[in-house]
Amino acid sequence: MSEKGLTTINLKKINCSKVYQYIYKTHQTSKMQIVQDLQMGLSTVSQNLNLLEKEGLIDRNGYFDSTGGRKAQAIQIVSDFRISIGIGILKNMFHITAIDLYGNAFYTETIALPYSNTEEYYRQLTDKVRKFIAENHYPNEKILGISIATQGITSPDNSTVIYGNIMNNTGMKLEDFSRHLPYPCHLEHDSKSAAFLELWNHPELDSAVVFLLNRNLGGAIITNHQIHQGSSMHSGTLEHMCVNPDGPLCYCGNHGCLETYCSANALEQSAGMPVKEFFPLLREKKSPRLAEHWEDYLNHLAFAMKNLNLIIDAPIIISGYLAPYFTEEDINYLLEHINTDAPFTLDRSQILVGTHGQYTPAIGAALYYVEKFTQSV
């Protein structure tokens, strides 16, 4: 093929990609809007729309209100043209979710399965994943991949867990899962997956500090619109900040880590009840005893946020299992304690609260394949 012919084919692909990306970002648009904003010829746009529609990537459904002439046809991507499956592994269970090309979780489920670093465990988990896919009638060709978020720091190539003291899963390998599944597979630290979801939901952020308030505390740092990994992959492990050298023993072997005060497990242990019982009694019954436990929790959280704000001048995102339980009153309490006698303060707009609760890592993990696909079209 001539260089000119190759260039023409490449140009067609580039134009087709531009049209798809434009539709994807605007969610819904018209043919003339694409022509105007991309400064492409009407025939070029029409050809690309026909091609994308033929491949099943877009559809034309409905019309915009008339502005005096013929109503413009509404164009959008087919959001479930491909789907991604996310897994979030915990000690005694795992979360599973299916998301569309906009990252919307249209199915979530929690499955009881105690973790053990054995072939039997990996076989059971992957069998349940395959059953989940079969029962929901997802065709194999529709699935982009299976992305797994685990409690443990992964190697730079995401092939192995190199630090997994919470679940005793050091040495867990991506291959433990992938050899049982007929799909592309990816392994990621759950905190990094959670941060990816928050960055996806807040694309305007250049930098942020993420507090993942799960059963075990986690964290992540976002800089230059990327999740900061660090030279040893442990950037953002704010759970091991020492807030009291004489405090409780942490699973890492040290005393008084933030994990021992601000994880959901720590809150349940101090209150003597599960989170699902704690918050209704706190909010509805106004229990003074539980209010003291919650105030202590918020005090330690504010202490950590105040110190991190001196190191990383960026918004703070409260994410994970406990995030949906936070009220505006809680956020104001945090701000008051963060800003008291602080040389640099935060305002209300700099504290964001996630909405996906316990499924945050699973959804964030699934986004790995969604981003790869949408950028490749």
Side-chain angles (χ1 to χ4, degrees):
M1 182 179 290
S2 69
E3 185 176 343
K4 183 178 179 181
L6 184 63
T7 302
T8 301
I9 290 173
N10 285 341
L11 182 60
K12 287 182 177 179
K13 288 181 178 178
I14 290 168
N15 284 337
C16 191
S17 178
K18 282 182 178 179
V19 171
Y20 181 82
Q21 298 296 337
Y22 179 86
I23 299 168
Y24 181 80
K25 288 174 183 175
T26 56
H27 288 252
Q28 191 175 65
T29 188
S30 67
K31 183 192 294 186
M32 294 311 298
Q33 195 67 49
I34 297 171
V35 169
Q36 178 181 322
D37 289 353
L38 294 185
Q39 296 186 341
M40 283 185 185
L42 179 60
S43 63
T44 300
V45 170
S46 295
Q47 288 170 11
N48 285 305
L49 289 176
N50 290 336
L51 178 61
L52 291 168
E53 188 173 28
K54 184 178 179 181
E55 292 181 356
L57 285 158
I58 66 167
D59 64 16
R60 312 184 206 211
N61 188 11
Y63 293 86
F64 290 102
D65 291 338
S66 174
T67 56
R70 185 178 177 182
K71 288 185 178 181
Q73 198 168 31
I75 303 166
Q76 52 271 315
I77 72 158
V78 177
S79 61
D80 64 349
F81 176 75
R82 293 287 185 267
I83 65 173
S84 181
I85 307 295
I87 310 292
I89 297 177
L90 299 171
K91 279 183 179 179
N92 297 310
M93 68 190 83
F94 70 92
H95 302 307
I96 186 167
T97 186
I99 68 171
D100 66 15
L101 294 178
Y102 278 121
N104 299 311
F106 55 86
Y107 198 100
T108 55
E109 187 177 346
T110 299
I111 299 173
L113 184 66
Y115 174 75
S116 65
N117 196 1
T118 62
E119 177 65 17
E120 178 61 21
Y121 171 83
Y122 297 115
R123 186 175 295 281
Q124 284 188 49
L125 183 142
T126 52
D127 282 349
K128 291 179 185 294
V129 171
R130 290 163 76 114
K131 183 180 179 183
F132 170 83
I133 291 169
E135 288 181 346
N136 286 284
H137 307 292
Y138 302 143
N140 281 351
E141 65 273 12
K142 199 179 187 75
I143 296 172
L144 294 169
I146 313 290
S147 193
I148 301 137
T150 186
Q151 292 180 296
I153 296 171
T154 61
S155 57
D157 64 358
N158 296 98
S159 67
T160 309
V161 173
I162 58 176
Y163 179 87
N165 282 19
I166 295 174
M167 291 173 45
N168 293 320
N169 63 336
T170 301
M172 172 194 280
K173 296 183 181 300
L174 174 61
E175 186 186 3
D176 294 331
F177 303 93
S178 63
R179 65 169 168 262
H180 300 297
L181 293 167
Y183 314 100
C185 293
H186 177 71
L187 183 66
E188 187 59 89
H189 185 194
D190 64 345
S191 295
K192 303 301 191 295
S193 294
F196 193 84
L197 173 58
E198 299 302 345
L199 189 56
W200 179 277
N201 288 335
H202 301 284
E204 75 284 359
L205 291 181
D206 175 76
S207 304
V209 180
V210 181
F211 281 76
L212 182 61
L213 308 182
N214 276 356
R215 295 207 166 274
N216 291 100
L217 186 64
I221 306 298
I222 295 170
T223 57
N224 297 321
H225 209 68
Q226 299 289 327
I227 298 165
H228 193 275
Q229 302 286 0
S231 56
S232 302
M233 301 295 286
H234 68 258
S235 280
T237 50
L238 51 82
E239 62 267 30
H240 297 300
M241 288 175 55
C242 181
V243 296
N244 179 7
D246 299 318
L249 180 67
C250 178
Y251 63 80
C252 74
N254 293 312
H255 286 267
C257 293
L258 192 62
E259 156 74 21
T260 65
Y261 293 97
C262 291
S263 64
N265 285 342
L267 179 63
E268 289 185 343
Q269 186 174 357
S270 69
M273 66 181 67
V275 163
K276 289 182 179 180
E277 295 177 17
F278 174 84
F279 282 101
L281 290 174
L282 173 71
R283 307 297 189 196
E284 298 163 21
K285 302 297 183 181
K286 308 293 184 182
S287 165
R289 183 183 73 84
L290 297 186
E292 288 182 12
H293 287 288
W294 184 233
E295 189 174 292
D296 185 63
Y297 179 97
L298 293 176
N299 288 340
H300 284 95
L301 192 61
F303 178 84
M305 290 176 172
K306 183 174 186 174
N307 281 281
L308 283 167
N309 185 43
L310 299 175
I311 301 168
I312 303 162
D313 180 14
I316 291 170
I317 304 176
I318 296 171
S319 181
Y321 180 38
L322 295 184
Y325 292 103
F326 274 70
T327 65
E328 192 62 27
E329 183 181 353
D330 295 331
I331 303 302
N332 290 332
Y333 185 94
L334 287 172
L335 279 169
E336 180 184 348
H337 284 73
I338 291 168
N339 292 336
T340 299
D341 299 324
F344 309 104
T345 60
L346 287 170
D347 60 45
R348 177 64 186 86
S349 67
Q350 291 176 288
I351 295 188
L352 308 173
V353 183
T355 58
H356 296 281
Q358 62 185 337
Y359 293 104
T360 297
I363 297 170
L367 285 170
Y368 173 81
Y369 283 111
V370 167
E371 184 181 58
K372 283 187 70 174
F373 176 80
T374 55
Q375 289 184 351
S376 70
V377 174

